[in-house]
Structure formats: C-alpha cells, structure tokens
Amino acid sequence: GFFLAAPLLGDQELVLEGVEFRKKTITSQREEAQVQAQVLHLFERYLMVEELLGLSVEWDKPREAPYPIHNENEAENAAAGLRAHWGLGSDPIPSLVELLEERGIKVLSIKADKIDGLTAQVRRPNRPGLPVIVINSTDWGERKRFNLAHELGHMVVEVGQHVDAERVAHRFAGAFLMPADALRGEVGKHRTSISLAELARLKKIFGASFQAITYRCKDLGIFSDALFRMLFNEFTRRGWRYPPYHEAGALPARLE
C-alpha cells in the first residue's frame, strides 16, 4: 500500500493507511499523492485542535464489524446492525457529520473535484488507529450526506467475491439514512404514483435527494418499476441528474 507520513506536534508521526478513493477523474499516482498530502495536512490540524480542547473520541465500532456481505441485500442487515449498536432506532439522522464525529470517525471536507469520497485509517505511534472519511466540500448537501453514508458502508462491511462493493455501499447508505420501517411509515407499503411535493416532504424528513429516495423505494418494493422509470425521466427532464444537480428544495449545509 501507498502511504504518506507527516510530523505531528513535533515528534509524533501520522501515517495514512488503507486509502480507498471513490474516484471520479484521478488519473495518476501524483494526483493521488496530492490529495493524500492535503488530507494528512488537514488531519494534522484537526488532531491538534482536538488535543488542545481534549475532545478525542474512540472509534465506536461494533464487535460484529466488518459485517460480511455475500449479496447486496445483506447491506440492509449491516445498516440495521450499526444503527442498533449506536442506539439510533429507526429515526432519521439530523446531522450525519455530528453523529460520525461523536462515534469516533473523523470527517474531513476538502475541495477536491477529482474525488467523490475517500476512506482511510490514520496511524499514530503507540495509539489506536483513527478512521477518517473525506468528502468533497463542493458537493451539494444531500449528495454529501449520501456520500458520507456510502463511505461509512465501505468502512463497516467486508464484501465477498463476485459482489459489487459500490452497489453494496449504495444499498447500505440508503438503508442507513432511510430505514425500511421509517420509510414505509411515511410512504406506505406500495405506491403506483407520488407527487414531487410528497418527495420534497420526504427529503426534509430523511435528508436525502429525490433520486436516493426513489432508488430506496424501488429497492424496498414500495415503487413499481414503472413509477421508478417515470420519476427518473422527470428528474432527467428537469436537469437534476447531472451537474450542477440543482434539485428542488436543496438542504441547508448544516444538515450534513
């Protein structure tokens, strides 16, 4: 594995390990190294502030994690298991960044158009490793939340052979942000139509994009294939599926 080291508070050294990029357009090791150097530099400042304020929190990782995944549907169990371990019930999560920080996962936001997200461990001499998730600060609020949950998925599951890790992380993110019981409670068990106004109401409740809600409802069998296709055609027509993703009713940044 490729890693970088940086001095911290004089004599300590930080090492970035197990780096996994969710790539957009990174094309060279040089670009990867630049992003990693930026992450380490930010992380160093982050830890200095933590140490000065005495805020350090240990990573509250479930004993069962990483959850073994043999097919995409098992991502549901992993999301439910993590929610249970963290005592979240099936309530929507008001601030995902705050939740992850409270559970010992460091969240960094960097201006990096070339990546969607990144997970890594930061190793320190004679101290436990620290998990870090990096997201792109230029993304819109709902996308940041989904990317955070997606990266969390990568962090807590172990995907078996012949299973698509990205699809598993997507399914995990949907299940973590929108638990089946809670979503069915709001939408019902089966729908053949839904208005954009109702989707906007769901967006406010769960902090997810129209597209993520629609995918989730399809995964749970709430939306038929026909309704799913109809909605996605409408999202395309409105220009919501492509940058700059100006979806109606974007969330305020504080909800990330």
Side-chain angles (χ1 to χ4, degrees):
F2 183 67
F3 69 86
L4 288 170
L8 171 72
L9 305 179
D11 58 345
Q12 286 190 44
E13 232 190 29
L14 297 180
V15 179
L16 203 58
E17 291 183 324
V19 178
E20 283 188 43
F21 283 96
R22 241 52 65 195
K23 297 185 185 185
K24 278 185 181 168
T25 55
I26 284 189
T27 54
S28 67
Q29 276 205 320
R30 184 167 161 268
E31 282 183 341
E32 285 198 1
Q34 283 171 344
V35 172
Q36 293 198 27
Q38 197 181 348
V39 169
L40 266 183
H41 177 67
L42 262 181
F43 202 88
E44 192 177 8
R45 283 167 48 197
Y46 184 118
L47 281 190
M48 285 175 79
V49 171
E50 261 199 353
E51 289 190 13
L52 285 169
L53 300 176
L55 290 176
S56 190
V57 181
E58 290 299 312
W59 166 208
D60 183 12
K61 183 179 177 181
R63 227 182 15 251
E64 305 82 13
Y67 300 96
I69 304 287
H70 305 100
N71 65 61
E72 202 181 308
N73 291 337
E74 290 180 350
E76 296 277 339
N77 305 337
L82 185 59
R83 270 183 162 267
H85 179 74
W86 284 352
L88 301 178
S90 57
D91 293 339
I93 297 164
S95 171
L96 194 50
V97 170
E98 201 174 292
L99 172 69
L100 297 181
E101 299 265 349
E102 283 170 356
R103 304 297 172 169
I105 297 172
K106 313 301 177 193
V107 178
L108 297 179
S109 185
I110 65 171
K111 196 169 186 296
D113 300 329
K114 292 181 177 294
I115 65 164
D116 277 325
L118 175 158
T119 55
Q121 284 273 335
V122 176
R123 190 160 51 78
R124 304 166 292 170
N126 311 315
R127 306 276 291 280
L130 296 169
V132 59
I133 294 177
V134 180
I135 51 170
N136 185 352
S137 62
T138 61
D139 276 337
W140 46 303
E142 295 90 313
R143 188 176 174 84
K144 277 182 186 165
R145 270 174 69 90
F146 196 85
N147 283 346
L148 269 174
H150 178 103
E151 297 302 329
L152 177 63
H154 281 292
M155 198 171 264
V156 298
V157 305
E158 196 168 279
V159 176
Q161 280 186 313
H162 315 302
V163 182
D164 185 327
E166 291 305 298
R167 285 177 67 91
V168 165
H170 259 61
R171 185 67 178 266
F172 176 94
F176 191 74
L177 293 174
M178 298 170 267
D181 291 352
L183 193 57
R184 287 192 184 105
E186 296 292 342
V187 191
K189 288 186 177 166
H190 191 68
R191 297 288 294 272
T192 52
S193 68
I194 193 166
S195 67
L196 289 182
E198 191 174 349
L199 284 175
R201 185 181 70 82
L202 295 171
K203 173 191 284 228
K204 282 205 176 93
I205 293 168
F206 293 103
S209 69
F210 286 1
Q211 293 177 60
I213 293 163
T214 302
Y215 257 112
R216 181 73 180 135
C217 286
K218 178 178 179 284
D219 282 343
L220 293 173
I222 297 170
F223 289 177
S224 64
D225 286 351
L227 177 56
F228 177 82
R229 282 195 301 274
M230 191 182 81
L231 287 169
F232 264 77
N233 287 340
E234 182 63 16
F235 302 154
T236 303
R237 194 179 71 74
R238 290 171 179 263
W240 295 347
R241 295 188 64 196
Y242 310 102
Y245 303 104
H246 284 152
E247 212 181 74
L251 294 173
R254 66 182 172 76
L255 285 176
E256 289 157 22

